[in-house]
Structure formats: C-alpha cells, structure tokens
Amino acid sequence: MNLNYTYADLADLLDAEQTQPYKGEIKAVAYDTRKIYHAEALAFFALHSEKDNGHKYVLDAYEKGVRCFVVDERVELPDDACVLTVEDTLEALQQLAKKHREQFAYPVVAITGSYGKTMAKEWLYSLLKDDYQIVRSPKSYNSQIGVALSLLEMSHEHNLAIIEVGISEPDEMEILEDIVDPTLGIFTGIGAAHQENFESEKQHVKEKLKLFKHSNFVFAQEEYASPFRRAKINVEYPSTPAKELAKLAATPFKSTLENCLECALFLGRQPEDMEPILKQLPTVASRMEILIGKKDNVLINDTYSLDLHALEQAVNYLLSLKEKSQKIAVIDLTLSSEEEQRKIEQFIANYPIDKVYYIREEILPETLDLVENAAILFKAKRKSFIKKEIENFKEKKHDTWLEIDQSAILENINHFRSKLHPNTKLLCMVKASSYGSGDVKMAHLMESAGVDYLGVAYADEGVDLRKAGIQSPIMVMNASESAFQEIIKNELEPAIFDIPQLEAFIGSLIRFKKTNFPIHIKVETGMNRLGFSEDDLDDLFELLQAQPEVNVKSVYSHLASSDHPSSTFNHKQAKRFAQYKEVFTEKLGGGLDFHLLNSSGILNFPEYQYSMVRLGIGMYGYIEKQPGLKASLAWYTRISQIKIIQKGDTVGYGQNFTAEKEMHIATLPIGYSDGIHRVLGNGKGEFFLQGKKVHTVGNICMDMCMIDVSDIPCQKGDLVEIIGANNTIFDLAKASGTIVYELMTSISKRVERIYLQN
Ligand SMILES: *Cc1c(COP(=O)(O)O)cnc(C)c1O
C-alpha cells in the first residue's frame, strides 16, 4: 500500500473525532497485528469479526510501534497514541477505500460469481499485464474487508485495477458496488442448482449482478442472458475469437477463461499476443486442487473443511466442469456429527450431481475404482483419511517426486519471525529455484506470508518471478552488466559490489531515463567474495552523491561462520559492519536498511539483526538441532522392477557387486542425474521401504539405482522413501558427503514437485 494521507485528511474523510494529531503521513492501513511489520505511517483499524474484536489488540499494535488508531470503542492507550473515534470501523475503512478509489479515473474491472473468481483475476492479469500497469486484489481477498484493502492498493502508477468481489450475505453487494464502482465486470457464473430451486438461483444471480449496476460492460456466458436483460446491464458473451483462443489453454474452466479473453480483447489486447500466455496460464493456488485422474477422470481434491459454505463452493466447481458430463461427489462424513451429516445431505440434495458417495466408515467403495471420464469431487474435513486415498486415483505421470509442505514452511517463517524485533524486515532468499523447491510457487507463498523482500542470485530468476506476478521488491545479488536492461524493465533491485558495476548501472539508468532507482550495496567484512571494502568508500560516496539515478535502499554483508556460534570471527565481521553503518549513515542519512544475518545468524546472533535479515535454508526447517523448526521436504520414488539373483551374479556397471547368496534386488527409477549422488552407491546410500532401512547395491547409474530388498516382502510400484519421516535430509546429505544446501539444490528439475497444504 502506498497511500499519502495526512492525519487531518483521514480524520476529515472518516468524519472522526480525534485526540491529538499524528504528525506523520498515513501510507498504509492494517487490521491484524500479526501482520504488522512496518509500523511507521500505519493506521490501525480495530475491526469487529464474529470471533474476535480488534480493539483487544490495540496495545499490541502500539507496542509494535503503531501510533495512529481508528476505533469505535473506548480504548486505553499511552498518551502519544493518536486515536480517531468513528461510528463503525468497518464502515470507516470502506469509506476510506471508496474515497481513495474515486481519485482514479482508470478502469476498475470487478469479478464476481460463485466460483473461479481468483482464477479469473489471475488469468485476466496475465492476459493484460504486458499492456497495462495493473493493481489487483492480493490473494483471494474478496470479503468486505478484503475489497476495501484491495482498493487501497490503487495508485497513480497503475492504469487498471482488477478487484475480486465476493459476498456471504444478501445485502452486502449494494455496499460493495458503492465502494468499488466497477467500470467493467466479469461474472463467472453460479453453480447450477436443481430445477425446484430455480427461484433461488434466479435470486442468487440477481443479487450478484447488483455489483454491475453502473458498469459499462460485463463479460459473462450466454446462459445468463435473461437476468442481465432484466437488470438492464450491458453484457458481452464470448465471441468466436475468444472461444478459439480459450482452446489453446489446458484448463477445465473454459467458460471462465472465455470471459477473461473477451474482456482482454475489449481492452485492446491482440489475439496473437495472448497466444503464448494461454499456453502457460498460471495455476491458481486454492484450497481446491484440480488433478488429472486415472481413466480420464478429473479430480477435485478439497479436503480442508466441510462446512456448507466450503461445500457450496466445491460443488459449484464440480458442476462448472462442463467437459465431463458425469459428476460424482465423494463426501467423508466420518468426522461429522449426526446433525452435520443431516445438513450436508439436505444441502447436496439440491444439486444435480449424478452420484454422491457418503462415506461413513474409513473405506472407499470399490465401485469408485470403475468410474471413467467423470469429474470427481473429494470433499472432507482436514484430518480425513481420504487425503491419502486420493493418491490412488491420480494419474501417475512420475514415479519420483518431491513433496513440499507449504504449511511447514509458513510455520518455519513464523518461527524466525518470532526471533525478530517487531520492526526488523524479513527478506526471503528464493535463489536457485528456492533452494530447489520451485521458484514461483515458493515466492507466491512468501508473498502471501507478507515477507518484505525476496532475494535471488541472478536477474533471470527475478524476471521469472515478475512474469509470474510477484509484486514484492526483489533484490538481485549477482547483477551482471548484460542483465541491467532486464533489471530496470522488471523493477528488480541490484546488489552493487564495485565501482565499475555501479558506473555501468548508472549508465543504463541514464539511457532509460530513470532516477532514484533502488539499489543495495554489498560491503566486504571478511567473506572475501563480493563487496566494497573500506578503501573504496570515498569513490563510492562521490559517485552516489553526484548521481540522482540511484537510491541506496540498503547496505549488507554476509557472515562466513554464522552456523558456528562460538566463532569469534562473527563478531569481527559484525564490528566491521557496524563501522560501515556509521559511515553510510553519516554520508547518506537515515532511512537505509542494514542487514548481516542469514538463517543461522538469526538464531545465533540476535544482537546483529539491524533493520533486516535474510532468511534462506531456515524456511525449509533445515538447521540442525532446532526443535522449533519443521522439516518441509519429502522425496519418494517407486520400485520399477524386482529381480531375484543367485550367488555369483553381479549387479550394475562395472560388476561392482557380486552376490554371495540368493538376493532380491529392486531397481528404482532415480539416479545421479536426479540428485542421488554417485557416492551413495555400493551400500553407502540408505533409503526406507515400509519403514525399514534398505541399502544400495552396486554403482548408482545416471537414471536408476538398485537396492537390496531381500528381507522385505515387496512388489513393483511400492513406495521408497529417499527423504522423509525416517530418512532425514541431514542423514542423506552426510552420506552423500555434502551439506543440505547442495543436496537440496541438486535435486533435478525432472523430479516432480508436489506442493502440500495442510
Ligand atoms: C543465500 C544467502 C542467504 C541465505 O542463507 P541461509 O543460510 O540459507 O539462510 C543470505 N544472504 C546471502 C547474501 C545469501 O547469498
């Protein structure tokens, strides 16, 4: 958020009663103290929710440094807090959003419907982003609060806004229409309910369409023609070009995509420019996972919650999958009370689902195995046994995969956050495809966790993140001259480590007519890798002071032995860094960030946090002897074949192994090109089968390796754990003669990554 209101503006806009005036500007608003990382220039809105009351947290916000509060109840705060008292804090927030939105004349596209809103928003963004500077709702912010926060993200740097709007109660839409005032709209549709419910469906559409009362045009499917006509709203149905283009994308949600394409065509995008984008549309992270199943089935995995609201969304998704005529729902009731079961059954009865399986014991019906060419929804509570069962319905393209537990990563990030001072910023390193775990997905996760900065090693990595819609500031540690153009175009922030590099970068900025471009300065404190040393500083400051093209955001260095808390070298480096800080502050003034610590630094040297830290491996939970951290990776493969060999037979290249007795040897489809280091051959590598340890036999091959399974009854297709609950990544790294960092980043790209969310 980048607002620029004075406190007086705010009091005025909100028609609020105020205590003493707050001196600073208001640049952002917040309502959740857990997500406050910069308290400066922040207004805290104490909102009410069903479960909680924001007024309980005002002191917490105060302690984090917030001084400006908007409340509708009496609060006790120290004297230097500036408090605005309003009638109703949610209305005040919405009022602020409305006034803010009114400043901008550029188009606002609002998206509503009962499914696919976030998807439509992300797709429309991808289709338009080359021609427009777009502000869009963060994540799936579509509640009353979320819509207001989304609008507050609008600024003069943008020329188009895409806002997702959802309602949970009948009268909300009118309020939201007033605030959002959409110029254009996309209506994704609502799930088809039963005939006898036709009245309520009509009502439902009518309510949703209120959002578009004053819109110029709305993009929707033709089946909604009559409600649009009745509401006198201009509507555009997908034209032939939009329909043809939609065929290029691999998605079951064609109608949503057609609406987005029609909107993009309307906004002047050329079909040929959108073709390449359609071939790699972003998949939208949601609770629902859409999977390709065996036997041409499409699977909707939504095993998160079973309340009626979640159920309605999931059923709507199911029914929107037009290309599968058969719709099946599998609903696990084993964790529901009788009352809940009754409600669910009543609810489901309203929908034209071809077959509903209610599961009342922890076993799935065998007839489910026979289903072909259908859309199957698996709906269950979070702890359901079904989660594991879904594996058996998935088409298995790969026999080797790496599971990445996103919830563990978020927990780890929060663990580190709990070690930081409230105002310390957090930069997360996503270099090397986020340590091998997958670049874009991890960056999105970190963005959603509200981290302040992302860091990459090379400009290309940063460009990929921007292409995927990452909006956070991104620091590039190795910014080479050949990448300067991309850096500038994509608003990446280079780390500068010597004078020739800085001069060249300034040259590029002059060519692009840019001033005040953010850069970071790397200083040498003992690592002897990259960085300015003390002797270079005079030249550096001379250049910085003469050139308005660059704006130093931060100064940093890196500890060589942060994982050795007793090493005095750390303190030597920190001392040198403190001297740099003094000089930089004197020459460039306050307002710079300083950062020295990586993951183990954060744990071992809390006294050197300065104003920012750089978290890497710790996010994955891989710092030894840290009980607060959770392992986030698991690596599995399946047995390809089992052979029985006799005494005297040899195994693998070079006949490095000779059997001394009859043995059962299993071949695994995973070799050194997947990241199983060759040193793990000939018994050094240990994996787990059915929870029991197994050893490698013979040399590791490029794409395969062999293990001894003589003592374990098993068969082709059985799961083998490379890393997981039994085999820790530390064990495997040690056996491979390396460190976790190298192991993680050497897991080959061809190993499928699967992202879990619990
Ligand atoms: C990779 C990197 C980090 C993160 O290090 P971890 O040990 O993974 O936490 C921090 N700072 C710099 C400069 C890096 O290159």
Side-chain angles (χ1 to χ4, degrees):
M1 230 173 260
N2 189 12
L3 310 172
N4 54 348
Y5 295 107
T6 63
Y7 185 75
D9 290 339
L10 194 63
D12 214 31
L13 278 174
L14 303 181
D15 195 15
E17 226 177 274
Q18 52 173 304
T19 57
Q20 66 195 314
Y22 176 75
K23 284 176 279 309
E25 261 183 317
I26 305 293
K27 286 197 182 296
V29 304
Y31 69 100
D32 182 345
T33 50
R34 289 166 305 182
K35 295 187 184 145
I36 295 180
Y37 307 109
H38 308 270
E40 223 177 289
L42 187 80
F44 180 79
F45 279 70
L47 301 177
H48 302 264
S49 75
E50 240 168 71
K51 295 194 198 96
D52 217 344
N53 181 348
H55 295 81
K56 285 201 314 223
Y57 304 99
V58 289
L59 201 57
D60 196 16
Y62 179 90
E63 275 163 10
K64 287 194 155 184
V66 176
R67 290 297 174 269
C68 174
F69 297 85
V70 180
V71 301
D72 58 19
E73 288 175 12
R74 266 189 63 87
V75 289
E76 298 284 341
L77 281 167
D79 287 344
D80 61 338
C82 309
V83 181
L84 293 172
T85 308
V86 297
E87 251 336 80
D88 178 312
T89 44
L90 176 61
E91 274 173 29
L93 179 67
Q94 294 182 331
Q95 209 50 32
L96 178 66
K98 175 177 156 79
K99 295 272 171 57
H100 184 72
R101 185 255 176 274
E102 282 169 4
Q103 296 176 50
F104 305 100
Y106 54 76
V108 174
V109 185
I111 301 175
T112 200
S114 54
Y115 55 81
K117 293 186 285 291
T118 304
M119 195 163 56
K121 179 190 70 190
E122 293 305 314
W123 285 350
L124 187 63
Y125 171 80
S126 302
L127 293 171
L128 294 171
K129 70 177 191 310
D130 294 338
D131 281 359
Y132 288 90
Q133 297 298 317
I134 303 172
V135 55
R136 68 194 198 278
S137 316
K139 295 292 127 188
S140 43
Y141 263 14
N142 61 34
S143 67
Q144 294 237 21
I145 301 171
V147 167
L149 294 176
S150 303
L151 292 169
L152 288 170
E153 297 287 345
M154 291 173 72
S155 81
H156 288 292
E157 282 166 21
H158 303 109
N159 56 19
L160 183 80
I162 306 177
I163 308 287
E164 190 181 329
V165 182
I167 51 168
S168 46
E169 310 213 343
D171 296 328
E172 286 176 337
M173 201 52 109
E174 264 159 331
I175 304 169
L176 294 175
E177 193 276 333
D178 183 47
I179 306 170
V180 180
D181 188 18
T183 338
L184 296 173
I186 288 181
F187 180 61
T188 60
I190 70 166
H194 241 327
Q195 285 301 326
E196 53 263 40
N197 258 25
F198 190 64
E199 259 323 296
S200 77
E201 184 188 337
K202 233 163 73 179
Q203 200 52 38
H204 201 155
V205 176
K206 191 173 159 202
E207 182 61 35
K208 294 228 148 100
L209 292 190
K210 283 183 183 162
L211 177 63
F212 304 123
K213 210 160 55 177
H214 300 107
S215 304
N216 297 344
F217 274 107
V218 180
F219 304 92
Q221 291 288 311
E222 196 151 3
E223 62 192 276
Y224 297 104
S226 66
F228 273 98
R229 206 177 311 116
R230 276 194 300 274
K232 301 197 179 61
I233 295 169
N234 290 327
V235 55
E236 289 280 330
Y237 311 117
S239 57
T240 310
K243 286 188 172 159
E244 285 302 312
L245 280 168
K247 288 186 187 151
L248 296 175
T251 168
F253 303 108
K254 289 280 191 260
S255 59
T256 303
L257 181 59
E258 287 170 4
N259 296 337
C260 294
L261 280 162
E262 194 57 37
C263 179
L265 290 167
F266 180 87
L267 287 168
R269 286 287 282 159
Q270 296 302 315
E272 59 276 18
D273 294 338
M274 293 196 282
E275 280 171 20
I277 300 171
L278 287 166
K279 290 184 185 140
Q280 39 179 317
L281 277 184
T283 49
V284 176
S286 79
R287 288 179 335 210
M288 274 177 256
E289 207 186 352
I290 315 297
L291 306 162
I292 307 290
K294 288 179 187 160
K295 300 186 179 158
D296 287 326
N297 294 316
V298 169
L299 314 177
I300 306 172
N301 174 14
D302 187 0
T303 44
Y304 179 77
S305 119
L306 201 49
D307 65 46
L308 291 186
H309 187 68
L311 192 59
E312 181 184 8
Q313 279 207 342
V315 169
N316 277 322
Y317 256 115
L318 174 69
L319 295 175
S320 73
L321 289 176
K322 298 235 162 75
E323 86 286 14
K324 298 286 176 202
S325 58
Q326 202 192 167
K327 310 285 197 307
I328 293 176
V330 181
I331 302 177
D332 177 16
L333 299 176
T334 56
L335 301 169
S336 305
S337 70
E338 271 180 28
E339 168 74 11
E340 283 174 328
Q341 298 192 15
R342 199 175 46 72
K343 280 200 180 141
I344 289 168
E345 288 173 68
Q346 270 176 3
F347 179 84
I348 289 290
N350 289 322
Y351 290 88
I353 301 172
D354 299 299
K355 173 93 187 125
V356 182
Y357 291 95
Y358 289 111
I359 309 300
R360 296 171 206 279
E361 284 170 51
E362 293 207 346
I363 180 159
L364 291 180
E366 279 175 14
T367 48
L368 204 51
D369 291 338
L370 305 175
V371 172
E372 284 179 8
N373 196 21
I376 312 177
L377 166 67
F378 291 91
K379 191 82 187 93
K381 291 193 177 177
R382 198 191 291 253
K383 299 225 159 81
S384 166
F385 77 104
I386 282 192
K387 232 180 207 159
K388 289 214 175 73
E389 297 286 328
I390 294 173
E391 276 301 311
N392 301 327
F393 291 86
K394 280 201 314 210
E395 185 178 66
K396 298 205 174 63
K397 276 185 300 191
H398 301 269
D399 278 330
T400 302
W401 68 99
L402 184 69
E403 289 181 1
I404 297 144
D405 181 344
Q406 303 190 76
S407 312
I409 293 174
L410 290 178
E411 274 180 45
N412 292 334
I413 291 177
N414 285 335
H415 178 80
F416 279 92
R417 249 186 200 141
S418 73
K419 309 275 172 199
L420 301 180
H421 302 297
N423 292 329
T424 305
K425 293 179 196 165
L426 182 61
L427 179 153
C428 285
M429 279 294 173
V430 292
K431 60 189 181 196
S433 275
S434 284
Y435 293 50
S437 63
D439 44 5
V440 169
K441 196 86 183 185
M442 283 301 111
H444 275 298
L445 184 69
M446 273 138 227
E447 199 163 61
S448 73
V451 310
D452 301 278
Y453 254 94
L454 297 174
V456 295
Y458 293 100
D460 295 352
E461 298 175 312
V463 172
D464 288 344
L465 297 186
R466 286 283 183 253
K467 279 196 187 135
I470 295 292
Q471 295 171 315
S472 305
I474 300 174
M475 181 174 91
V476 179
M477 289 185 301
N478 277 304
S480 67
E481 226 171 288
S482 58
F484 285 168
Q485 186 173 337
E486 286 296 321
I487 287 182
I488 296 168
K489 273 203 334 221
N490 289 282
E491 296 183 29
L492 307 174
E493 305 180 5
I496 302 292
F497 50 79
D498 67 13
I499 296 283
Q501 185 202 15
L502 181 56
E503 283 173 338
F505 190 60
I506 289 172
S508 296
L509 290 169
I510 291 173
R511 252 173 281 129
F512 282 90
K513 301 193 174 55
K514 296 270 182 193
T515 53
N516 214 25
F517 198 92
I519 61 168
H520 302 266
I521 301 289
K522 175 94 196 262
V523 294
E524 181 57 70
T525 55
M527 181 87 166
N528 287 319
R529 194 167 62 174
L530 291 176
F532 288 93
S533 59
E534 290 82 349
D535 297 343
D536 307 318
L537 293 187
D538 286 344
D539 292 345
L540 174 63
F541 290 128
E542 198 177 314
L543 199 52
L544 288 176
Q545 274 150 0
Q547 303 295 153
E549 288 77 21
V550 288
N551 173 17
V552 178
K553 300 288 280 189
S554 85
V555 178
Y556 76 103
S557 191
H558 196 49
L559 295 177
S561 291
S562 67
D563 52 345
H564 292 101
S566 57
S567 158
T568 55
F569 192 64
N570 290 298
H571 302 289
K572 275 201 197 121
Q573 282 193 273
K575 196 163 162 211
R576 221 170 135 187
F577 190 63
Q579 286 159 355
Y580 282 105
K581 179 178 178 208
E582 216 163 280
V583 184
F584 273 89
T585 310
E586 186 198 315
K587 295 282 186 183
L588 302 182
L592 300 187
D593 281 317
F594 290 86
H595 41 119
L596 181 62
L597 301 181
N598 64 343
S599 305
S600 27
I602 299 170
L603 298 172
N604 294 331
F605 301 100
E607 66 274 33
Y608 301 139
Q609 275 179 21
Y610 294 94
S611 59
M612 185 146 97
V613 295
R614 302 182 305 268
L615 182 61
I617 196 112
M619 286 187 279
Y620 303 95
Y622 295 136
I623 296 183
E624 264 184 297
K625 302 195 190 75
Q626 288 294 327
L629 296 177
K630 241 177 133 171
S632 61
L633 301 185
W635 190 5
Y636 300 105
T637 191
R638 290 181 194 281
I639 295 175
S640 316
Q641 192 178 31
I642 299 178
K643 289 204 153 89
I644 301 174
I645 59 168
Q646 305 303 328
K647 180 171 175 183
D649 287 349
T650 63
V651 177
Y653 282 118
Q655 296 164 293
N656 238 15
F657 178 83
T658 307
E660 289 174 357
K661 53 178 195 285
E662 185 191 282
M663 290 176 82
H664 292 223
I665 300 291
T667 301
L668 305 179
I670 180 169
Y672 55 77
S673 77
D674 297 287
I676 300 295
H677 294 236
R678 206 165 164 278
V679 295
L680 292 173
N682 303 304
K684 280 193 78 183
E686 293 176 354
F687 308 137
F688 282 80
L689 170 65
Q690 300 167 16
K692 297 188 196 89
K693 201 179 269 185
V694 285
H695 288 93
T696 55
V697 178
N699 285 328
I700 307 282
C701 316
M702 186 187 287
D703 311 302
M704 282 175 262
C705 66
M706 282 67 82
I707 54 174
D708 176 4
V709 295
S710 305
D711 300 330
I712 306 173
C714 58
Q715 54 183 346
K716 175 186 168 120
D718 280 0
L719 204 66
V720 175
E721 174 191 306
I722 310 296
I723 297 172
N726 300 298
N727 214 21
T728 72
I729 200 165
F730 299 111
D731 296 337
L732 190 67
K734 253 172 232 145
S736 308
T738 182
I739 55 173
V740 173
Y741 295 83
E742 188 186 357
L743 179 64
M744 281 179 76
T745 51
S746 60
I747 301 175
S748 138
K749 282 213 159 55
R750 75 180 185 192
V751 174
E752 187 188 13
R753 266 68 172 168
I754 294 180
Y755 299 90
L756 306 181
Q757 197 152 18
N758 293 314

